[in-house]
Amino acid sequence: MTLLHWGWYQHDLILDTVEYHRYGMAMASGHVPYRDFSVEYPPGALPAFGLPAIGNPSFSLYNREFQILMALCGVGALAAMSVALRELGATAERAAGALCFFALTPLVLGSVILYRYDLWPAFLTVAGIAAVLSRRERLGFASLGLGIAAKAFPAVVVPPAFVYVWRTRGRREALLCLGAAVAVLAVVVVPFLALAPDGVWDSIVRQTTRPLQLESLGSALLLAAHHVGGLALTLDSSRGSQNLIGSLPHAFGAASSALLAVALVGIWVAAARGPATPERLVRWSAASVTAFVALGKVLSPQFLIWLLPLVPLVRGRRGLAASALLGLALLLTQVWFPIRYFDLVAFEPFPSWVLLARDLVLVALLVVLTAPARESPRS
């Protein structure tokens, strides 16, 4: 991550840490989140905001401490990947390739990884999967529960993990694991619900009712129609992002949500129908998160961080193809974010087409992860 502080990586930065610093300083001053000040993120994200604020640092010092914390999350994700790869029976070459891929991806994605807290839930997700694979299932589900409390996306990993435990350890153990996830989630969220139910509810509504975000697949298709056919589009800045509004973007957003729901159900059914093997658990977990990233009506650049420790765990040619597509998606993201982001906001052609290419690459990644395996020809 040190290299991300040099050269073009530091051009035209867009810093979420400005908002994180405000949260952290408020907590350090004794103010209660959701009650005394509004927070748009779930309660499990608060440690990532509060820890760097200990000692009331300046913003520059806060930025440094935050980046150190995220680097530690990255190291934790690497360790969890190592455990998962060991349980998968990966060869030394495969393990080295997967770990090196993860270690080098910050250079391909760019500076966004330094100024977002997404390495925290990404670490909790891969740690949960690694624990399940190493027969510490309840600990694994507890980690997933904490991940859900930090950012909702680990919830899509729970169904394939639940089925895996049910079929390998039995129904009772699977239900106990699910209970562990729910218990950890409740421990983190319920105190804030008791203290500030309106504030927590407002945070949930704010995230779940967002318009079609500019960087989503649906928006990218509308931008293409704008450049090819002159489709009129209206931009609105709200909910912490730039969005397309109007009847057509609203319809695309609803269609995106419906498509995502269908895709996730299909992935979970496919995971349940095949044999309960560690390789399939990793593959379908990666597919679930990929669908959540690629098909939703919101797709921020930091969402790709969620995929970094998961996709490289997939085995064989499928895994190599998936990692190559993920790498391409990261590179295409850095082409326009952050240095050309406001060109995209202005509906300039070049970043619009690069955005569409990136989103289609993510769809291709989902196809690779979910495509049926080819049967070997009979001798």
Side-chain angles (χ1 to χ4, degrees):
M1 287 192 179
T2 301
L3 294 176
L4 296 179
H5 292 91
W6 300 91
W8 69 86
Y9 289 117
Q10 291 295 299
H11 292 171
D12 302 308
L13 296 176
I14 299 176
L15 308 181
D16 277 16
T17 46
V18 173
E19 188 173 20
Y20 300 167
H21 181 245
R22 180 173 64 83
Y23 295 154
M25 295 300 289
M27 288 187 283
S29 300
H31 297 292
V32 177
Y34 308 104
R35 188 191 69 184
D36 301 331
F37 62 94
S38 61
V39 181
E40 69 171 287
Y41 302 103
L46 296 176
F49 308 150
L51 288 175
I54 294 175
N56 297 321
S58 64
F59 176 69
S60 60
L61 182 58
Y62 180 93
N63 246 339
R64 189 187 72 181
E65 299 297 323
F66 178 82
Q67 291 173 29
I68 291 172
L69 181 60
M70 290 302 102
L72 292 174
C73 289
V75 171
L78 269 175
M81 289 176 67
S82 298
V83 173
L85 289 162
R86 182 194 67 200
E87 298 301 321
L88 292 167
T91 63
E93 292 79 6
R94 176 187 168 192
L99 297 176
C100 287
F101 179 89
F102 177 82
L104 293 174
T105 48
L107 298 177
V108 186
L109 178 58
S111 61
V112 64
I113 201 168
L114 293 177
Y115 305 106
R116 307 296 189 275
Y117 81 97
D118 294 77
L119 273 173
W120 166 233
F123 157 63
L124 293 170
T125 302
V126 70
I129 293 172
V132 170
L133 292 175
S134 58
R135 304 299 290 270
R136 295 174 176 83
E137 292 89 349
R138 298 178 198 179
L139 178 62
F141 273 76
S143 182
L144 291 175
L146 184 56
I148 296 168
K151 206 150 195 174
F153 80 88
V156 302
V157 175
V158 170
F162 178 78
V163 170
Y164 175 83
V165 175
W166 185 307
R167 297 181 63 182
T168 56
R169 299 296 299 277
R171 179 179 65 179
R172 180 178 181 275
E173 183 62 26
L175 292 173
L176 288 172
C177 289
L178 186 61
V182 172
V184 170
L185 178 61
V187 165
V188 176
V189 174
V190 168
F192 292 99
L193 278 173
L195 287 170
D198 292 340
V200 175
W201 179 248
D202 180 68
S203 173
I204 295 172
V205 171
R206 179 183 174 88
Q207 292 298 321
T208 57
T209 60
R210 293 173 67 176
L212 185 70
Q213 196 225 10
L214 184 62
E215 300 147 60
S216 65
L217 175 61
S219 174
L221 293 172
L222 291 175
L223 286 170
H226 169 76
H227 291 298
V228 172
L231 176 68
L233 297 174
T234 302
L235 185 77
D236 174 66
S237 296
S238 63
R239 314 293 179 93
S241 63
Q242 282 64 50
N243 316 292
L244 297 182
I245 58 173
S247 57
L248 186 58
H250 178 76
F252 268 62
S256 296
S257 298
L259 179 61
L260 173 58
V262 171
L264 286 174
V265 170
I267 288 169
W268 297 337
V269 169
R273 294 182 65 180
T277 64
E279 294 285 359
R280 296 187 80 253
L281 171 61
V282 166
R283 172 189 163 196
W284 292 116
S285 296
S288 296
V289 178
T290 301
F292 194 81
V293 171
L295 302 180
K297 63 179 181 178
V298 178
L299 203 178
S300 296
Q302 61 265 28
F303 289 10
L304 274 68
I305 298 171
W306 309 345
L307 301 173
L308 302 186
L310 298 179
V311 171
L313 299 179
V314 179
R315 182 181 66 181
R317 293 182 179 177
R318 185 195 302 274
L320 291 174
S323 294
L325 287 169
L326 176 57
L328 179 57
L330 300 176
L331 183 60
L332 288 171
T333 299
Q334 189 181 168
V335 167
W336 61 267
F337 189 90
I339 58 175
R340 295 183 179 88
Y341 178 71
F342 290 102
D343 292 340
L344 177 66
V345 170
F347 300 163
E348 292 292 332
F350 177 74
S352 300
W353 292 116
V354 176
L355 172 69
L356 178 61
R358 191 280 307 270
D359 290 352
L360 292 177
V361 168
L362 288 173
V363 173
L365 170 60
L366 178 60
V367 171
V368 167
L369 290 172
T370 56
R374 293 182 179 179
E375 295 185 2
S376 300
R378 295 181 180 180
S379 58

